[in-house]
Amino acid sequence: MAHEPDDLPVFPNFLQMPSVVSVRVWRLIRLGGLVVAAVIVVSLFVRPDGALFAFWRLIVPLVPLLLIFAPGLWRNVCPLATVNQLPRRWGRTRALASPAWLQEYGYVIAISGFIIIAVNRKVVFNTNGPALGVLLIVIFSAAFVGGRTLKGKSGWCSSMCPILPVQRIYGQTPFVRVPNTHCDPCVGCTKNCYDFNPTVAYVADMYDEERRWSGHRRWFVGAFAGFVLAFFVVPAYPQVSVGELYLRTALYVLVGVALFVTLDVFLKGSPNLLPPVFGASALAIFYWYSAPLSASALEQVFGRSFGVIVWPVRVGVGAVGLVWVYRSIRTEHRFLEEALAGSLPVRVDISVTSKLRRATESGRIEVAFVPGD
């Protein structure tokens, strides 16, 4: 965790955030996370009912709250991130630069992965332990191969991870800032990297001049609330056919996107006005429906009723969401103040660095600073 002195800059990067937890302790925690992940995967094959219950009913419902309160903690201990960084720690990564297609469409791959996996929970992954086990093995393998091939976290965590789009939404205004301890040293593998500067990364995405870069992220946050609602209200297979499940879910997603676009056009607000509102709405919807399910799960574990927690959880999450929206909008205002004051760093795309190096070596270099960074 971080103990933050009063003289920190407005948007401190991870090198400027002192930590009270040593890297060695973080590595022990990651090792424990890998052991837990391995136990779950094995249990999905040998004791699927218990493993499915623990994974979907006890672990997954806690993740959104962790992402909104201390996303940096998740980024540090996520078993997928640990596996992704193993080749780097072992000195066995090729450390290639991320290809252009992955830089442009990695987020689309992540969005697609999230939606495909989440909607198919209601077809197979909620009830079939071996199928979920195979899925997790494939995902962990992909994370390892990405770390073996590409530099930094560009091969998985910051490009294709299905959890990434949700992390980006809720990580933009962390209540507790936990500095990144994976990237030593930082190799500049990703634009607007969350691990480098968590409190400004998502706002920078919203103000990015490349329309596709910001557009992919805005599309997902518009779709997310509708998707979460569809997950809880559209019946699962075999209550409805797989085709009907997909079509009804797509309808909710399209309505969410249409509402986002309509409000975005007619409200004429700032780029990061609607994303926190839609993100908080998705959070409230998720816990409105999952709170009774979590109470039932705890009752199964402890043998006593936990119905009393349902409404406190619903109201508490709604209040947290409202505070988070306010903090996110305030962060955007501070971002603009810093940008106008000229204190935010100038961004240089990775593809430009080789040209700058050659120009510097030849003595022929000319830099022009223009408005808007």
Side-chain angles (χ1 to χ4, degrees):
M1 303 295 179
H3 172 70
E4 300 178 0
D6 296 332
D7 59 348
L8 279 179
V10 176
F11 298 115
N13 62 54
F14 79 99
L15 297 173
Q16 298 168 320
M17 290 189 289
S19 177
V20 297
V21 178
S22 69
V23 174
R24 178 173 294 182
V25 172
W26 281 119
R27 289 176 179 170
L28 289 174
I29 294 173
R30 289 175 193 141
L31 178 60
L34 285 180
V35 171
V36 171
V39 169
I40 289 175
V41 170
V42 172
S43 299
L44 286 168
F45 292 95
V46 298
R47 299 194 63 182
D49 291 341
L52 287 169
F53 177 84
F55 188 76
W56 291 127
R57 301 288 296 278
L58 299 177
I59 297 175
V60 170
L62 297 176
V63 173
L65 282 179
L66 179 58
L67 294 180
I68 201 169
F69 276 104
L73 175 60
W74 173 258
R75 297 282 292 184
N76 274 326
V77 303
C78 172
L80 286 170
T82 302
V83 169
N84 175 252
Q85 292 298 291
L86 284 179
R88 183 182 186 184
R89 295 299 171 201
W90 295 340
R92 299 294 183 180
T93 178
R94 298 177 64 193
L96 301 176
S98 181
W101 66 266
L102 184 58
Q103 294 179 40
E104 184 167 359
Y105 295 108
Y107 206 81
V108 176
I109 296 172
I111 291 171
S112 302
F114 173 82
I115 292 177
I116 290 170
I117 292 170
V119 75
N120 280 291
R121 277 186 57 181
K122 302 168 73 173
V123 177
V124 61
F125 297 128
N126 274 350
T127 57
N128 190 317
L132 179 60
V134 170
L135 173 68
L136 292 178
I137 291 171
V138 170
I139 290 175
F140 274 100
S141 300
F144 182 84
V145 171
R148 176 73 176 83
T149 307
L150 302 180
K151 66 180 180 179
K153 286 187 171 184
S154 64
W156 183 255
C157 302
S158 297
S159 59
M160 296 182 291
C161 176
I163 307 175
L164 174 64
V166 182
Q167 288 181 350
R168 295 292 281 196
I169 294 174
Y170 294 121
Q172 62 175 294
T173 315
F175 286 89
V176 179
R177 289 191 290 207
V178 181
N180 159 48
T181 58
H182 273 297
C183 305
D184 182 19
C186 172
V187 293
C189 66
T190 305
K191 181 167 71 170
N192 299 339
C193 176
Y194 182 86
D195 292 303
F196 184 77
N197 199 318
T199 50
V200 77
Y202 192 80
V203 181
D205 281 344
M206 295 298 101
Y207 279 86
D208 198 277
E209 294 178 356
E210 186 179 347
R211 288 187 60 190
R212 286 184 179 177
W213 184 271
S214 59
H216 295 157
R217 288 147 180 80
R218 294 175 67 78
W219 185 94
F220 179 75
V221 76
F224 190 50
F227 180 82
V228 173
L229 181 60
F231 181 83
F232 288 103
V233 302
V234 175
Y237 174 81
Q239 293 175 270
V240 296
S241 67
V242 175
E244 183 179 350
L245 170 61
Y246 292 162
L247 287 174
R248 290 174 66 175
T249 300
L251 178 62
Y252 278 86
V253 168
L254 292 176
V255 169
V257 172
L259 180 61
F260 183 92
V261 171
T262 301
L263 292 175
D264 194 37
V265 169
F266 287 99
L267 289 181
K268 298 180 179 179
S270 64
N272 202 44
L273 172 63
L274 289 178
V277 173
F278 274 67
S281 300
L283 188 77
I285 293 169
F286 179 84
Y287 282 103
W288 179 272
Y289 287 100
S290 67
L293 301 176
S294 296
S296 174
L298 291 173
E299 183 176 348
Q300 289 181 248
V301 173
F302 296 102
R304 49 171 295 189
S305 174
F306 279 83
V308 68
I309 72 170
V310 172
W311 276 102
V313 168
R314 288 172 168 174
V315 174
V317 168
V320 167
L322 290 175
V323 173
W324 178 76
V325 169
Y326 168 77
R327 285 165 52 88
S328 298
I329 294 174
R330 184 167 175 263
T331 295
E332 182 185 23
H333 292 163
R334 297 171 74 185
F335 171 84
L336 292 175
E337 291 172 358
E338 291 291 300
L340 292 174
S343 60
L344 289 179
V346 176
R347 296 191 303 272
V348 178
D349 189 85
I350 297 172
S351 63
V352 180
T353 55
S354 61
K355 297 179 182 178
L356 288 175
R357 183 165 55 250
R358 289 195 299 270
T360 304
E361 291 170 353
S362 64
R364 299 190 303 274
I365 184 168
E366 184 175 325
V367 179
F369 294 92
V370 297
D373 199 20

